[in-house]
Amino acid sequence: MASTAGPNSTDGREGRPTLTVVGATGAVGAVLRDLLSTRLDVYGEIRLVASPRSAGRTLTVRGEPSEVVPLGPEVFDGADIAIFAVPPPVAAEWAPVAAARGTVVVDASPVFRTSPGVPLVVPEVNPERVRDRPRGIIASPGCPTLSMIVAIGALHHRYGLRELVVSSYQAASGAGRSGIETLYAQMEKVGGDRALGNRAGDVRGAVGEFGPFPAPLAMNVVPWTGSLGADGWTSDELGIRDETRKVLRLPALKVAATCVRVPVTKAHSLSVHAVFGDRVEQREAQAILAGSPGVVLCDNPESHEFPTPADVVGTDPTWAGRVRCSLDDPKALELFLCGDSLRKGAALNAAQIAELIATEL
Amino acid sequence: MASTAGPNSTDGREGRPTLTVVGATGAVGAVLRDLLSTRLDVYGEIRLVASPRSAGRTLTVRGEPSEVVPLGPEVFDGADIAIFAVPPPVAAEWAPVAAARGTVVVDASPVFRTSPGVPLVVPEVNPERVRDRPRGIIASPGCPTLSMIVAIGALHHRYGLRELVVSSYQAASGAGRSGIETLYAQMEKVGGDRALGNRAGDVRGAVGEFGPFPAPLAMNVVPWTGSLGADGWTSDELGIRDETRKVLRLPALKVAATCVRVPVTKAHSLSVHAVFGDRVEQREAQAILAGSPGVVLCDNPESHEFPTPADVVGTDPTWAGRVRCSLDDPKALELFLCGDSLRKGAALNAAQIAELIATEL
Ligand SMILES: NC(=O)c1ccc[n+]([C@@H]2O[C@H](COP(=O)([O-])OP(=O)(O)OC[C@H]3O[C@@H](n4cnc5c(N)ncnc54)[C@H](OP(=O)(O)O)[C@@H]3O)[C@@H](O)[C@H]2O)c1
Ligand SMILES: NC(=O)c1ccc[n+]([C@@H]2O[C@H](COP(=O)([O-])OP(=O)(O)OC[C@H]3O[C@@H](n4cnc5c(N)ncnc54)[C@H](OP(=O)(O)O)[C@@H]3O)[C@@H](O)[C@H]2O)c1
């Protein structure tokens, strides 16, 4: 017998925490609604919030229609937890408002990730950190960091991480709904046109709008994601360094990242060169990855088994493959990781953090 | 007044060396014919050779029609130089046949790259090595190596290279004509279909034939190029290590490469982390690259200037950008390089080597 209780109803959900989802209409918000729909016994009321542009729209969560309400202080009244999946300026303004009203904020934006007094949490790696939140805000790392940190954390636990060199293959989704839409529109324009891809700039002239990207993405790769940081580094590249240091509590970790956008819809990939304090061994490293919750080992190149973004999109775990010991350094390991940027890379990690709070309440 | 001499004619070309192009119909061969057409005063006769499948076809070189002849010992009769752009087994069998007849062989295949007695030559880096060819064969490096070696060689000259960590973004063209054709056919199938790219495996089911690739390439990246080497490394990854060591004469250079195919037609990109013996300085490194023949610096991220494969395809140089000093190691530099895999990555380097021989004759 199906429950007749709507998502905002508390019938049979008395005593369970109330959750506000800010940014429920976005790329991350849509996946959050999917994930919440598979966890029926966690929350009481769930409120869907977005900008005034979306107010009044009806969305589905837990299989039931729910009206989107515009962001305002009242959306946090009586809310135990709020997940924020909104642009940075909106998070910067409204997360403190929610926290001041006693709502525990889980923020997916970059705003608070490196702020003192705000824990940066990956539940498989440092779940205990959620308890230490003097500002009432908990941050979730960026999608490139989240695409590797569970796997790297497991290896660090055994070998002691010293240095990372990371090159990313990031999907359009990292730039939100408009990123995904731009890639599809460009792919539609170029199709399989054999007149393109032979002369410098012909793709640039053919793809139409660049959307949130600084160069064409279809039939191309773009060595730039995020905004401009110091000395030519991008915010995503600095984020991978700062966030990995904070999550793993390794303030002196050496990290060099290069972030590159590729014409893939939603799953990020990372090529990682990791140097450890101890000697690494290929079979043992593979076994560690295979045995880590949240990681799937997919590493049998003889039979063409390695993770690719098209094969892992829509799934929760981090997929690890191409695990090799360096030929020149007994303490270095190479690996290739893939994961859905909207799931573990954003919505899933935020939902996991929120659930840690929900069960603690 | 246009010359009336055909490509096989020696009218006005007396005394100039005869060149045989083996594999004139392939992806590399087509670019070789283009390049030879811009160098009218170098060769006397030019013979176009391919498999018996192509015998009798008429191709153009130096603006004039020329009939393709099938590969046999006689194509080397009186030939001073032969450029080989054929699959490895064909090169392995026929390069020694040509050399035994006194023809200097320039081979683009992987077969002889690490063979003793065969110099591995990049004219901007080690042109003097062409003279030391006891077996009559000179090898040209693989396209991933050629996409970086001119830029890295220039930096090595100043700073003394110690270690490379490389992640590649390799184009379909690295797998020859069938690679390029497979990518276009897959792009045609997926177009901008918004039903694809959301669920694991949906792209795999939609792209049609994989061609020479072990997984779908459209809307995907494939962390595998080349064949399976030892301990999970690919032949391309080992090639980057072995070839860089040989060209730069650094037998103990530490190299860790991860080779990844991306849905781009013809230009390769590489993310490079280079560690040197000396401290590096960003502006100086940029100036070194900008001043190196064969390299173009494209590095002004504030105004979205960085190399992308779609913007450099069809051009000769290596394009360098995203030059940054490591934040954690004063001797490490990050950079992003792009170059056409069929030009400097194959045909141009082979043509440059052949020209060094031609002018020495
Ligand atoms: N995409 C990823 O892979 C990813 C990964 C990790 C973290 N993040 C972070 O997650 C956040 C959301 O990213 P996204 O990709 O989901 O972006 P998106 O697709 O552009 O969605 C933005 C969301 O924010 C809402 N919003 C915008 N302005 C608002 C306002 N003034 N008041 C209330 N709501 C407002 C939008 O509502 P309307 O529909 O009403 O405009 C929409 O729900 C960003 O901070 C991003 O950095 C994203
Ligand atoms: N593609 C690159 O980016 C790249 C870069 C560096 C080096 N290379 C190397 O260059 C070589 C050629 O590559 P490609 O990409 O040009 O390959 P491709 O497009 O497949 O062309 C192969 C060429 O070899 C000819 N051929 C095949 N079997 C032959 C035989 N039995 N006798 C005579 N000719 C034969 C083909 O002639 P038909 O047309 O008659 O079959 C064609 O001209 C390979 O060794 C490759 O490793 C390629």
Side-chain angles (χ1 to χ4, degrees):
Chain A
M1 208 176 70
S3 159
T4 55
N8 290 339
S9 153
T10 52
D11 293 7
R13 289 171 179 151
E14 294 83 5
R16 293 200 190 139
T18 293
L19 174 71
T20 298
V21 178
V22 189
T25 55
V28 177
V31 177
L32 265 173
R33 285 184 285 116
D34 278 356
L35 293 170
L36 292 167
S37 300
T38 65
R39 315 288 288 130
L40 297 178
D41 55 352
V42 180
Y43 299 103
E45 187 187 351
I46 294 180
R47 297 176 191 160
L48 304 184
V49 178
S51 81
R53 289 180 294 276
S54 306
R57 273 184 64 190
T58 299
L59 296 177
T60 303
V61 65
R62 296 191 291 201
E64 294 149 7
S66 178
E67 196 182 302
V68 177
V69 295
L71 179 56
E74 64 287 352
V75 304
F76 305 110
D77 286 345
D80 300 282
I81 305 168
I83 301 180
F84 275 68
V86 289
V90 185
E93 182 180 348
W94 288 92
V97 172
R101 293 171 101 88
T103 305
V104 180
V105 171
V106 179
D107 183 33
S109 89
V111 176
F112 302 99
R113 286 177 193 152
T114 54
S115 299
V118 175
L120 185 67
V121 175
V122 181
E124 293 87 345
V125 182
N126 62 350
E128 72 288 350
R129 303 286 299 145
V130 293
R131 279 182 243 116
D132 184 19
R133 46 173 196 263
R135 297 174 60 184
I137 301 173
I138 300 163
S140 180
C143 42
T145 306
L146 282 172
S147 304
M148 69 170 190
I149 195 78
V150 181
I152 297 300
L155 294 169
H156 165 57
H157 193 69
R158 165 66 184 84
Y159 298 118
L161 189 64
R162 295 283 187 275
E163 182 177 1
L164 287 174
V165 180
V166 177
S167 294
S168 75
Y169 301 72
Q170 288 175 234
S173 55
R177 276 180 320 202
S178 75
I180 300 170
E181 178 47 36
T182 298
L183 175 60
Y184 280 126
Q186 291 187 353
M187 295 274 293
E188 212 159 49
K189 284 231 160 76
V190 301
D193 187 346
R194 287 164 176 73
L196 297 174
N198 300 297
R199 261 184 306 272
D202 59 0
V203 165
R204 187 171 277 267
V207 294
E209 301 287 326
F210 294 177
F213 308 118
L217 186 55
M219 297 180 81
N220 204 15
V221 306
V222 182
W224 190 267
T225 79
S227 53
L228 182 64
D231 300 320
W233 295 84
T234 74
S235 56
D236 272 12
E237 290 161 356
L238 298 173
I240 290 177
R241 179 166 174 265
D242 295 339
E243 296 165 19
T244 305
R245 288 174 161 200
K246 186 166 174 177
V247 171
L248 298 182
R249 294 193 159 205
L250 292 172
L253 183 70
K254 293 168 75 174
V255 182
T258 298
C259 285
V260 181
R261 189 83 64 192
V262 295
V264 161
T265 52
K266 298 184 176 174
H268 286 355
S269 308
L270 296 175
S271 165
V272 180
H273 170 82
V275 186
F276 297 93
D278 284 354
R279 293 178 76 93
V280 288
E281 204 274 308
Q282 186 182 30
R283 298 262 164 267
E284 187 189 49
Q286 288 168 323
I288 290 167
L289 293 166
S292 297
V295 180
V296 176
L297 182 74
C298 175
D299 193 9
N300 195 3
E302 303 88 73
S303 45
H304 294 176
E305 281 172 34
F306 32 70
T308 84
D311 291 324
V312 315
V313 63
T315 70
D316 285 344
T318 302
W319 296 72
R322 302 294 330 276
V323 179
R324 293 151 288 154
C325 289
S326 164
L327 298 165
D328 304 314
D329 180 349
K331 297 179 176 178
L333 195 76
E334 317 304 312
L335 65 168
F336 190 81
L337 301 168
C338 288
D340 190 308
S341 75
L342 295 173
R343 291 187 157 250
K344 185 61 190 176
L348 175 61
N349 199 65
Q352 286 174 309
I353 297 171
E355 222 169 286
L356 288 176
I357 314 292
T359 51
E360 149 203 300
L361 289 172
Chain B
M1 207 177 71
S3 159
T4 55
N8 289 339
S9 154
T10 52
D11 293 8
R13 290 172 177 149
E14 294 81 4
R16 294 198 191 140
T18 294
L19 174 71
T20 298
V21 177
V22 189
T25 55
V28 176
V31 177
L32 265 173
R33 285 184 284 117
D34 277 357
L35 293 170
L36 291 168
S37 300
T38 65
R39 315 287 289 128
L40 297 179
D41 56 352
V42 181
Y43 299 103
E45 186 186 353
I46 294 181
R47 298 176 191 162
L48 304 184
V49 178
S51 81
R53 291 179 294 277
S54 306
R57 274 183 62 191
T58 299
L59 296 176
T60 304
V61 66
R62 297 192 291 204
E64 294 150 7
S66 178
E67 196 182 301
V68 177
V69 295
L71 179 56
E74 64 287 352
V75 303
F76 305 110
D77 286 345
D80 299 283
I81 305 169
I83 300 180
F84 276 67
V86 288
V90 185
E93 181 179 349
W94 287 91
V97 172
R101 294 172 100 89
T103 305
V104 180
V105 172
V106 179
D107 183 34
S109 89
V111 176
F112 302 100
R113 287 177 193 152
T114 54
S115 300
V118 175
L120 185 67
V121 175
V122 181
E124 292 87 345
V125 182
N126 63 349
E128 72 287 352
R129 303 285 299 145
V130 294
R131 279 182 244 117
D132 184 20
R133 48 174 196 262
R135 296 175 60 184
I137 301 172
I138 300 163
S140 180
C143 41
T145 305
L146 282 171
S147 303
M148 69 170 189
I149 195 79
V150 180
I152 296 300
L155 295 168
H156 165 58
H157 193 70
R158 165 66 184 85
Y159 297 118
L161 189 64
R162 295 282 187 277
E163 182 176 0
L164 287 174
V165 180
V166 177
S167 294
S168 76
Y169 302 72
Q170 288 175 235
S173 55
R177 275 181 320 202
S178 74
I180 300 169
E181 178 48 36
T182 298
L183 176 60
Y184 280 125
Q186 292 187 352
M187 297 273 293
E188 212 158 49
K189 284 230 160 76
V190 300
D193 186 347
R194 286 162 176 75
L196 297 174
N198 300 296
R199 263 186 305 274
D202 60 1
V203 166
R204 188 172 276 269
V207 294
E209 301 286 327
F210 294 177
F213 308 119
L217 186 56
M219 298 180 81
N220 205 16
V221 306
V222 182
W224 190 268
T225 78
S227 53
L228 181 64
D231 300 320
W233 295 85
T234 75
S235 55
D236 272 13
E237 290 161 355
L238 297 173
I240 290 177
R241 178 167 175 265
D242 295 339
E243 296 166 18
T244 304
R245 288 174 160 200
K246 185 166 175 176
V247 171
L248 298 183
R249 293 194 163 204
L250 293 171
L253 184 69
K254 291 167 76 174
V255 182
T258 298
C259 285
V260 180
R261 189 84 62 190
V262 296
V264 162
T265 51
K266 296 183 177 173
H268 285 356
S269 308
L270 296 175
S271 166
V272 180
H273 170 82
V275 187
F276 297 93
D278 283 356
R279 293 178 76 94
V280 288
E281 205 275 306
Q282 186 182 31
R283 299 261 164 267
E284 187 188 49
Q286 288 168 323
I288 288 167
L289 292 166
S292 297
V295 180
V296 176
L297 182 74
C298 174
D299 193 9
N300 196 3
E302 303 88 72
S303 45
H304 295 174
E305 280 172 36
F306 33 70
T308 84
D311 291 325
V312 315
V313 63
T315 72
D316 285 344
T318 302
W319 295 72
R322 301 297 327 279
V323 179
R324 291 151 289 154
C325 290
S326 165
L327 297 165
D328 305 313
D329 180 348
K331 298 180 175 177
L333 195 76
E334 316 305 312
L335 65 168
F336 191 81
L337 302 168
C338 289
D340 190 309
S341 75
L342 296 172
R343 291 186 157 251
K344 187 61 191 176
L348 175 61
N349 198 66
Q352 286 174 309
I353 296 171
E355 222 170 285
L356 288 176
I357 312 292
T359 51
E360 150 203 299
L361 289 172

